[in-house]
């Protein structure tokens, strides 16, 4: 099983240099970074867009993408290496590929109404059409569209008129072709360009969906025109508020005829237009950076409706019928904003889906790198902040808990190859660029404060800020120099190399020592305390250029180097020697990282797209991961979270990994209190080949020192501190805070970050109220509040929303008044009291009177303020009006509203009970959404926030966070006993492997009622007789021979269960098989058996030693055991709601029945009928899936299913029903594509390989399978261990 677990993904942004880089279809939208296409899909259950796939096959920049208009599963992409690929989106794989497009396709488009044809064109044409199926397969040239006089920017087929096509050129002209008409080449240039040879490229072109001839065209400088392609005239030129506004993207709004939207390219202003007016109807500033691309979804995603359907409107309308309100008018008072969703791509790589009707983002990724990320580093004093340096000329700083950007450097630096944080809390980053020298950027102030130009215009490949002496910064460059200077620019040393220098690294043990990697294949070590410019040591051995070098943080004098020869070499400075060569990468090595706690762990990243984890003691590779889609450049971890690693790549993504599985035995030693010697050690002990991992770094030493200071019970602190140190980001701190709250810790001890996460219900109101107050008070700081900081209005709006949800209606109303939203305030004011509503109405009336606004009338009438209204009319000379109002009042039609007593009583007690049930329901719903998003720890936080300990433990178990679940369960104590014991059992199964049997026994000793569990462990142990007897002794069991005697005695007394148990523990464990299997078969022949009556026997038998079970003489019993375990496993899977593996278990059992000579009381027909009954009845309970036609179960199926349910008799542990879903299950891999042998579909998330090394299933399916049937799906008799 994979030792490295992917736990987070920072997706790339949308590239800003090509035109057709976003597309949409139905409930999916796509955009492309430089090398990969990102596909997001609406999760209908939660109305959220989620990343579903990353498709990467192109090796050079993607130039255009296009979604097939008549088949939502087909999608095309073209790239700068002259390749065109057609993808199947559901299967995420290429279905057709054209390897030579005879030029770089600038624009690609499916031919409307022409089957599977796709057209593409490069700069001067011609237009090629590639048909992939049918009789005319192949590439043909459009008979007219060629020999253009100006380069083509983009082209568009007419969506209705077959064969009609328009091209936009860089000189600002259009070319239009349609069958049966004269070709129009280079027409309709903007008038201001006529007679000149100035260029004004066409930046956007869209046919009017309601006309055969009209077309919107945007030119870079001359703005937007509506033109007629028949009469070749301009119908309307649209005017912008300022000459500075330019537009590079536009889109028609399908839901509103005649309407279109544009995005400004300087600032992110979305403008709404109608063809009938030359000025825009409405403008929205969505972001500070300009738009790059826009695409309106044809049919807005059909979202799950939360309310019931509206009742039909009755035909007659009485005077008291409720009016159906018209849509709210925009500022122009005559057009409402059309409903529709716009995919917006911005110049800074940001991507979002904007709901125009609701004026809000449905989805927004504020920033993203759009090019290769060369380097990544954690902030020295904050493990939650990660900085990245990219080819796109920026450094960005990310919060890795939320995976959002918090700062970005000003940009325009050329390529940023390397970065290095200032030591400690200085909040500065130094960067190295391709042509602008090096710089220091003050992150908080957001500006460059120093530049270094000693290397001239030569590229600087590496920069390193000394963490032992914060005044020194080293850079190395293509000019062959490694320069050490002080931060104020004074050069201390210039070390000349015979060729370009690519990497340098300060020693972590000696502040005056630095190593370099050079193009001449050598590694050099320099000593700064001397004035000599010659190296102290030169290490030779690599066969190609050396890139990065890294000193070991734990072993003095040890350093490693990565080279273009595909190897990593380990050098010992004290011995002048290469002590190990790590071979395995098939391309140049770039990323290098030593672990800061375990001295032998080294990780490398390469141009072969892989990351490898090495044990440098013997040079073995412990694990290889292939999830990146291109070269891996940077690897980093933070010392205080030593087992969370970040990696960055040419695929423009950052991925987060947990290395904890590499050292999980350590955590078990901490759990089982096995003595500090099994946890901490010195480097000499840890470096003994084959020795278990030991912690040797500073962070673990600090934890131990803190624990040594504590008096009394240290277990709670010990489990929490180590668990947080080992856990990746993603909620573990939040989880432990909630555990402390439940255990009664004083609230004043909660950290500041607590209120940012999932809070306990008893704190929610208090913290949210103060947050709302804070939002109201905060004035904008001088620099704004970082990226996309909200305006004061947005802050007040947010505060108001919080107050409203907290039931603080009056505060909400007052904030709405401050924002000028009187109607919103007045509509909810009666919820405070009628008295308050009346007062508010009077305030509004006073304001409107001052403005002499006629809108005052309804306010006065509703509040019965006749005198005020009469005065208002009289003062304006509207005496007839005044008379009318006075008369109405006399006749009693206008009167003040009734102020009933007791208008606002507290909720009665029975309501409180109902509200509490509602709260629990909402918590469960939220937890499930986190869980299905691959965040089991946050799901557990939701349950704990409502004191639901069993469900919280269930979330951790179903997410396979077993070690964390035990730590939390032990700290919560009695209330979590049952689930904790179950997790200990699962963990013991995990460690039933060579070298860890003792750990497994230690875990089982922590469960109070453990004799049977210890017996299973001993039965499965494959050692020699002496070793087995030693384990029996440790577990308090008789020796082998005694067990045999006890088995015979039990058998003669008719105690079959004990007989089976003792035979399994005897020298002939296979003797247990016929006894146990015969008993199970006898049970199944009866009519009143239940799963629980047979499962205990099967589970016990499954612990027979594998080497005995696969003996030839056991063939028949083995087959019967596998078939019975498979069948009972299927029933257990139904009980636990593991619906994804129920069909696989039935299929497995049927296949074994077909192939093997056995006599068991099961028939293949019976299995098929049961499976169909389960399918029919569960489908009717869960509601049919959209795509499957639903047919109700027959009566026979209902009878069969109720019989199944009787046998199953649900007694599963609370919180364990429902599928397993491990962290990272929803993170798409770029390149590591495996198909499941259960379904034949691509596996999303972690993969589990079966014992043949080839067959794969998803880790989630493997975990569920192992919990209900311990034997491998391949039918070999081998037990699987995916835990």
């Amino acid at each position: 099983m994979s030792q490295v677990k992917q736990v987070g993904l920072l997706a790339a942004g949308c590239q800003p240099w090509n035109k057709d880089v976003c597309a949409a279809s139905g409930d999916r939208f796509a955009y492309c970074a430089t090398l990969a296409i990102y596909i997001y899909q609406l999760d209908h259950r939660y109305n959220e867009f989620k990343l579903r796939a990353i498709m990467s096959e192109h090796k050079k920049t993607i130039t255009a993408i296009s979604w097939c208009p008549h088949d939502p599963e087909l999608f095309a992409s073209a790239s700068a290496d002259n390749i065109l690929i057609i993808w199947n989106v559901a299967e995420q794989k290429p279905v057709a590929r054209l390897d030579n497009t005879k030029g770089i396709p600038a624009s690609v488009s499916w031919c409307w109404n022409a089957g599977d044809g796709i057209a593409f064109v490069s700069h001067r044409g011609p237009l090629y059409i590639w048909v992939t199926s049918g009789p005319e397969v192949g590439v043909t040239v459009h008979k007219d569209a060629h020999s253009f006089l100006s380069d083509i920017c983009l082209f568009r087929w007419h969506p209705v008129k077959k064969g009609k096509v328009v091209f936009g050129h860089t000189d600002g002209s259009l070319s239009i072709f349609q069958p049966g008409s004269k070709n129009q080449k280079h027409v309709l240039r903007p008038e201001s360009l006529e007679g000149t040879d100035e260029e004004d490229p066409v930046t956007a072109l869209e046919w009017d969906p309601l006309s055969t001839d009209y077309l919107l065209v945007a030119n870079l400088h001359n703005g937007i025109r509506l033109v007629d392609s028949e009469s070749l005239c301009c119908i309307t030129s649209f005017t912008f508020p300022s000459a500075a506004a330019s537009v590079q993207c536009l889109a028609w709004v399908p839901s509103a005829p005649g309407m279109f939207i544009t995005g400004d390219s300087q600032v992110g202003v979305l403008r709404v237009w109608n063809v009938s007016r030359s000025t825009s109807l409405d403008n929205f500033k969505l972001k500070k950076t300009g738009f790059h691309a826009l695409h309106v979804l044809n049919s807005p995603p059909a979202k799950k409706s939360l309310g019931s359907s509206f009742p039909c409107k009755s035909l007659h309308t009485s005077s008291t019928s409720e009016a159906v309100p018209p849509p709210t008018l925009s500022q122009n008072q005559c057009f409402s904003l059309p409903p529709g969703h716009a995919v917006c791509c911005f110049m800074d790589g940001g991507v979002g889906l904007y709901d125009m009707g609701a004026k809000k983002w449905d989805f927004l990724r504020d920033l993203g790198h759009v090019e290769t990320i060369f380097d990544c580093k954690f902030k020295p004093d904050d493990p939650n902040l990660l900085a990245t340096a990219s080819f796109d000329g920026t450094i960005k700083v990310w919060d890795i808990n939320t995976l959002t950007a918090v700062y970005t450097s000003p940009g325009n630096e050329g390529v940023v190859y390397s970065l290095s944080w200032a030591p400690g809390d200085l909040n500065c980053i130094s960067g190295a660029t391709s042509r602008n020298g090096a710089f220091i950027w003050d992150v908080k102030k957001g500006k460059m404060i120093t530049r270094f130009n000693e290397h001239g215009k030569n590229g600087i490949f590496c920069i390193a800020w000394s963490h032992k002496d914060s005044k020194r910064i080293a850079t190395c460059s293509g000019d062959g120099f490694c320069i050490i200077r002080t931060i104020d620019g004074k050069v201390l040393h210039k070390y000349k190399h015979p060729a370009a220098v690519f990497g340098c690294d300060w020693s972590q043990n000696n502040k005056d020592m630095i190593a370099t990697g050079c193009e001449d294949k050598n590694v050099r070590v320099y000593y700064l305390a001397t004035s000599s410019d010659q190296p102290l040591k030169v290490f030779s051995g690599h066969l190609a250029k050396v890139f990065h070098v890294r000193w070991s943080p734990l072993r003095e004098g040890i350093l490693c180097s990565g080279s273009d020869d595909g190897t990593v070499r380990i050098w010992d400075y004290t011995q002048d020697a290469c002590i190990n060569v790590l071979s395995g990468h098939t391309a140049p090595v770039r990323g290098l990282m030593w672990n800061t706690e375990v001295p032998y762990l080294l990780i490398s990243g390469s141009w072969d797209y892989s990351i490898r984890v090495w044990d440098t003691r013997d040079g073995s590779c412990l694990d290889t991961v292939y999830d990146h889609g291109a070269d891996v450049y940077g690897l980093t971890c933070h010392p205080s979270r030593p087992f969370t690693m970040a990696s960055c790549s040419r695929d423009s993504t950052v991925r987060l990994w947990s290395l904890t599985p590499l050292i999980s035995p350590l955590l078990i030693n901490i759990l089982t209190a096995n003595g500090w010697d099994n946890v901490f050690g010195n480097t000499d002990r840890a470096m003994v080949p084959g020795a278990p991992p030991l912690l040797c770094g500073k962070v673990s030493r600090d934890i131990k020192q803190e624990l040594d200071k504590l008096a009394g019970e240290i277990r709670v602190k010990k489990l929490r501190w180590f668990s947080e140190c080992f856990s990746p980001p993603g909620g573990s701190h939040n989880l432990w805070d909630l555990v402390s709250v439940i255990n009664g810790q004083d609230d004043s001890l909660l950290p500041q970050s607590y209120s940012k996460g999932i809070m306990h219900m008893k704190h929610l109101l208090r913290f949210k109220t103060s947050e709302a107050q804070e939002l109201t008070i905060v004035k904008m700081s001088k620099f704004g509040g970082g990226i996309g900081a909200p305006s004061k209005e947005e802050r007040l709006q947010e505060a108001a929303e919080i107050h409203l949800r907290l039931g603080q209606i009056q505060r909400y109303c007052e904030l709405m008044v401050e924002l000028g939203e009187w109607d919103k305030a007045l509509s909810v004011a009666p919820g405070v009291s009628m008295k308050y509503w009346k007062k508010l109405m009077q305030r509004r009336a006073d304001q409107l009177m001052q403005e002499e606004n006629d809108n005052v009338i309804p306010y006065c009438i509703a509040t019965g303020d006749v005198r005020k209204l009469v005065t208002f009319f009289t003062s304006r000379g509207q005496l007839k009006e005044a008379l009318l109002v006075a008369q109405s009042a006399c006749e009693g039609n206008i009167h003040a509203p009734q102020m009933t007593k007791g208008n606002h009583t507290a909720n009665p007690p029975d309501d409180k009970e109902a509200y509490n049930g509602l709260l629990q329901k909402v918590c469960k719903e939220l937890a499930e959404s986190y869980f299905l998003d691959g965040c089991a720890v946050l799901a557990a936080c939701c349950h704990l926030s409502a004191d639901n300990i069993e469900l919280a433990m269930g979330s951790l178990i179903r997410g396979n966070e077993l070690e964390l679940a035990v730590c939390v369960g032990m700290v919560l104590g009695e209330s979590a006993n049952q689930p904790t014991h179950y997790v200990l059992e699962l963990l013991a199964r995990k460690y039933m492997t060579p070298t860890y049997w003792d750990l497994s026994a230690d875990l089982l000793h922590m469960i109070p009622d453990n004799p049977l569990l210890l017996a299973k462990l001993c039965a499965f142990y494959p050692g020699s007789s002496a070793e087995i007897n030693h384990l029996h002794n440790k577990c308090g069991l008789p020796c082998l021979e005694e067990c045999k005697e006890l088995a015979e005695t039990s058998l003669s007394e008719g105690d079959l269960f004990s007989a089976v148990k003792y035979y399994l523990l005897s020298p002939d464990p296979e003797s247990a098989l016929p006894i146990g299997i015969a008993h199970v078969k006898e049970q199944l022949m009866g009519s009143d058996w239940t799963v629980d009556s047979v499962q205990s026997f099967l589970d016990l038998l499954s612990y027979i030693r594998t080497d005995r079970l696969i003996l030839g003489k056991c063939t028949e019993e083995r087959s019967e055991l596998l078939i019975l375990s498979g069948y009972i496993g299927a029933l257990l899977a139904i009980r636990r709601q593991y619906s994804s593996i129920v069909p696989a278990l039935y299929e497995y059992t049927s296949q074994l029945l077909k192939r093997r000579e056995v006599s068991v009381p099961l028939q293949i027909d019976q299995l098929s009928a049961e499976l169909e009954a389960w399918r029919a009845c569960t489908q009717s309970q869960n509601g049919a899936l959209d795509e499957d036609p639903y047919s109700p179960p027959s009566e026979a199926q209902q009878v069969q299913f109720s019989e199944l349910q009787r046998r199953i008799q649900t007694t599963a542990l609370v919180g364990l029903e429902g599928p397993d879903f491990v962290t990272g299950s929803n993170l798409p891999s770029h390149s590591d594509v495996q198909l499941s042998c259960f379904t034949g579909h691509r596996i999303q998330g972690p993969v589990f390989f079966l014992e043949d090394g080839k067959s794969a299933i998803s880790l989630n399916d493997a975990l569920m399978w192992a919990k209900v049937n311990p034997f491998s799906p391949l039918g070999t008799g081998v037990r699987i261990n995916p835990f």
Side-chain angles (χ1 to χ4, degrees), residues 762-797:
K762 68 180 184 186
H763 297 139
L764 194 59
L765 288 182
R766 196 173 80 213
F767 276 105
K768 280 290 177 192
T769 305
S770 68
E771 183 188 336
Q773 284 163 348
E774 214 173 285
L775 283 164
T776 316
I777 296 160
V778 168
K779 294 278 180 279
M780 292 298 286
S781 70
K782 185 178 166 194
F783 294 107
I787 289 171
S791 63
K792 185 177 180 198
E793 284 73 22
E794 287 166 328
R795 284 177 188 279
L796 292 178
Q797 188 72 45

Side-chain angles (χ1 to χ4, degrees), residues 20 107 154-158 164-167 205-207:
D20 293 329
S107 189
L154 69 165
F155 74 97
R156 293 286 182 263
W157 292 104
H158 198 290
K164 187 168 185 177
V165 62
V166 59
F167 295 83
L205 265 185
E206 298 296 338
W207 289 104

